[in-house]
């Protein structure tokens, strides 16, 4: 099978497989990249996992995930900062050049305050990211997650934080699941590319009806997202990164994972 150098799979997509199985399956399927979720590394020697991935010619695209910066207390924010520092060290040990940030939100705390804490939180860990050369990709999340998962819900909001921090290591992970509905999407993707901060492109689909707000994402083509259209917007910026398949789906996790992987390869 010819290797699709632009196809990357997030380990969470095939959650039933431990990373040792996933890496063999992805490599055998000709997949070029892998994004590693931190829970897949639990109990492992992270540097060895990195070596094992590279020995299978899997490019490590990113580590998922850091973030969750906002908190009502200074102690909570300090703990979040420490976890993000740990994520940066883990990325460095793994050999991942980038961390995806799910930025966080606190129910009842004004979103503007959470956004400020997010910008401050990223600024605080930037020196360590610089030390290791790790890029930090802010992933805007769909507004249905604005209560407790992210106060950054649009590309424009993510771009505003990037503008504020104005740092080459701070950019955006554009995930179709979160941004497909945005009337300003084309313009925002164009601006993001122009400012050299389109760091990642995540793919899945939106199911109708969606039965679970977290774990009912679709395989590309199963849902209603204009994937071709969004991919054209991304490619028009000169983006040469990976098409990263990130599907949380109880339905697919309970299916045969070999068959699922074959469907993914066929869908992209
Ligand atoms: Zn994503």
């Amino acid at each position: 099978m010819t290797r699709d150098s632009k196809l990357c799979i997030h380990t969470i997509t095939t959650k039933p497989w431990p990373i040792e199985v996933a890496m063999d399956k992805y490599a055998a399927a000709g997949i070029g990249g892998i994004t590693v979720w931190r829970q897949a590394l639990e109990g492992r020697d992270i540097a060895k996992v990195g070596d094992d991935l590279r020995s299978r010619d899997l490019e490590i695209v990113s580590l998922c995930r850091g973030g969750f910066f906002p908190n009502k207390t200074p102690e909570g924010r300090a703990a979040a900062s420490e976890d993000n520092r740990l994520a940066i060290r883990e990325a460095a040990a793994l050999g991942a050049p980038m961390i995806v940030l799910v930025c966080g939100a606190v129910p009842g705390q004004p979103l503007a305050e959470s956004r400020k804490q997010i910008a401050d939180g990223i600024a605080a860990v930037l020196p360590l990211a610089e030390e290791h050369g790790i890029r930090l990709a802010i992933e805007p999340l769909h507004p249905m997650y604005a209560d407790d998962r992210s106060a950054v819900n649009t590309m424009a909001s993510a771009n505003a934080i990037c503008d504020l921090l104005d740092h080459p290591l701070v950019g955006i992970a554009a995930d179709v699941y979160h941004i497909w509905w945005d009337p300003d999407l084309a313009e925002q993707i164009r601006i993001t590319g122009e400012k050299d901060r389109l760091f990642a492109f995540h793919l899945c689909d939106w199911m109708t009806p969606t039965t679970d707000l977290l774990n009912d994402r679709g395989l590309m083509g199963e849902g209603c997202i204009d994937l071709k259209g969004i991919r054209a917007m991304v490619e028009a910026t000169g983006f040469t990164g990976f098409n990263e398949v990130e599907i949380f789906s109880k339905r697919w996790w309970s299916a045969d994972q070999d068959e699922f992987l074959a469907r993914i390869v066929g869908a992209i």
Side-chain angles (χ1 to χ4, degrees):
M1 177 175 279
T2 52
R3 185 163 286 260
D4 181 347
S5 61
K6 289 294 169 216
L7 174 57
C8 163
I9 299 188
H10 285 227
T11 54
I12 195 85
T13 298
T14 54
K15 191 164 93 165
W17 281 340
I19 194 164
E20 292 78 10
V21 174
M23 66 174 80
D24 282 339
K25 299 281 190 180
Y26 296 0
I31 289 151
I34 184 167
T35 277
V36 178
W37 278 60
R38 289 172 77 191
Q39 52 265 53
L41 296 172
E42 267 167 34
R44 271 81 166 179
D45 174 339
I46 295 177
K48 181 180 179 303
V49 172
D51 288 340
D52 290 346
L53 294 171
R54 281 181 290 275
S55 75
R56 285 161 179 77
D57 286 333
L58 284 165
E59 186 170 331
I60 303 169
V61 178
S62 62
L63 181 71
C64 261
R65 53 188 163 65
F68 289 96
F69 297 103
N71 196 284
K72 281 185 174 163
T73 68
E75 295 76 21
R77 293 194 290 279
S81 193
E82 200 39 59
D83 184 59
N84 280 278
R85 286 188 175 86
L86 178 62
I88 291 168
R89 288 188 208 100
E90 288 175 0
L94 184 68
M98 176 165 62
I99 296 175
V100 177
L101 301 178
V102 171
C103 288
V106 180
Q109 174 165 283
L111 291 171
E113 174 60 21
S114 288
R115 288 181 198 120
K116 185 183 174 305
Q117 292 179 1
I118 289 163
D120 290 347
I122 296 172
V125 300
L126 255 177
L128 187 65
E130 273 176 358
E131 198 179 302
H132 294 286
I134 307 283
R135 301 206 285 180
L136 303 175
I138 298 169
E139 177 166 320
L141 256 54
H142 191 283
M144 70 178 170
Y145 301 120
D147 58 342
D148 65 352
R149 298 184 72 77
S150 185
V152 180
N153 309 104
T154 60
M155 293 288 285
S157 181
N159 266 310
I161 293 175
C162 292
D163 284 341
L164 194 68
L165 297 173
D166 191 23
H167 194 287
L169 288 178
V170 180
I172 296 176
D175 184 324
V176 296
Y177 193 72
H178 300 300
I179 58 176
W180 68 277
W181 56 273
D182 186 345
D184 297 327
L185 189 58
E187 176 68 356
Q188 285 297 322
I189 287 178
R190 188 187 63 73
I191 290 168
T192 307
E194 226 169 61
K195 296 190 174 180
D196 283 333
R197 59 170 75 131
L198 185 53
F199 286 180
F201 182 43
H202 296 176
L203 290 162
C204 63
D205 215 334
W206 183 282
M207 302 302 291
T208 306
T210 290
T211 59
D212 182 314
L213 297 185
L214 264 187
N215 297 318
D216 188 29
R217 297 187 181 197
L219 175 67
M220 295 75 71
E222 285 187 318
C224 63
I225 298 179
D226 176 15
L227 293 164
K228 276 203 181 94
I230 298 176
R231 195 162 157 180
M233 294 172 199
V234 166
E235 287 173 357
T237 68
F239 180 80
T240 56
F242 281 84
N243 296 304
E244 301 185 42
V245 178
E246 183 191 24
I247 301 170
F248 317 143
S249 166
K250 286 180 183 159
R251 179 172 51 94
W252 281 112
W253 288 332
S254 65
D256 179 278
Q257 297 299 286
D258 286 299
E259 191 189 312
F260 182 31
L261 186 62
R263 291 281 301 273
I264 290 170
V265 172
I268 194 110

